[in-house]
Amino acid sequence: HCDFSYQNVFFSEDGSKIEAVFDFEKASIGPRAFEVARSMFVCCFDDGWEQRNIDQAIVFISAYIQKQPLSLGEFQQGVKMYLVNLAHQTWVEAKVLLKNSVNYIDLLDAHERRITHLPDDMDAFAKDIYEKAQK
């Protein structure tokens, strides 16, 4: 699906379970670790890069690995794949800069916050989240 984010996930009325996932805009086939990492970044780091965002990511990954096995190496690879993809992505930038669409400014800001962290040691970042999620 490659777009498993909160905007495309529909929950039951009481919020206790996922009822549907719907969005085929950028559907593709790829490694699940890419989707896990992408979903984590979109759901947990869309509004910042503070400790609360890291704590949300730990909960997110913990919930995932309780249901589906995921090795540290696979998770680290997914994080790298997502960030490389993000660095080369121009979809949102084109919407804002070329088409002058103000509807995507928040998304552009979220991309900028993520891209700012590209020089960081993402292997160590992923390892820290993964290890804390294991506890």
Side-chain angles (χ1 to χ4, degrees):
H1 179 253
C2 204
D3 207 2
F4 192 72
S5 60
Y6 62 89
Q7 301 96 327
N8 302 326
V9 179
F10 298 86
F11 292 88
S12 60
E13 195 169 314
D14 67 359
S16 65
K17 67 178 191 164
I18 294 174
E19 293 285 334
V21 176
F22 187 81
D23 178 22
F24 298 107
E25 181 180 8
K26 294 188 286 180
S28 64
I29 296 173
R32 73 182 174 122
F34 171 85
E35 182 61 29
V36 170
R38 182 189 177 286
S39 297
M40 178 194 72
F41 278 105
V42 169
C43 293
C44 302
F45 294 96
D46 233 22
D47 64 347
W49 203 273
E50 308 300 323
Q51 185 60 48
R52 68 179 171 76
N53 302 95
I54 294 168
D55 293 342
Q56 289 172 351
I58 292 165
V59 170
F60 184 94
I61 296 303
S62 177
Y64 184 86
I65 60 179
Q66 286 177 23
K67 298 288 184 185
Q68 190 73 13
L70 179 72
S71 72
L72 170 59
E74 187 179 7
F75 179 57
Q76 287 173 314
Q77 188 68 27
V79 166
K80 287 181 201 173
M81 290 171 60
Y82 170 68
L83 292 173
V84 166
N85 178 272
L86 182 67
H88 293 280
Q89 182 173 313
T90 58
W91 176 82
V92 106
E93 290 80 357
K95 292 278 191 185
V96 173
L97 300 173
L98 300 178
K99 297 190 178 193
N100 202 25
S101 175
V102 296
N103 297 334
Y104 295 90
I105 294 292
D106 290 343
L107 187 55
L108 182 65
D109 290 343
H111 279 222
E112 185 272 330
R113 282 190 295 273
R114 289 184 209 118
I115 288 171
T116 298
H117 292 277
L118 287 177
D120 295 350
D121 184 350
M122 282 297 132
D123 275 342
F125 170 79
K127 182 178 181 188
D128 186 51
I129 288 175
Y130 184 87
E131 288 177 349
K132 288 176 179 171
Q134 293 282 348
K135 295 178 182 177

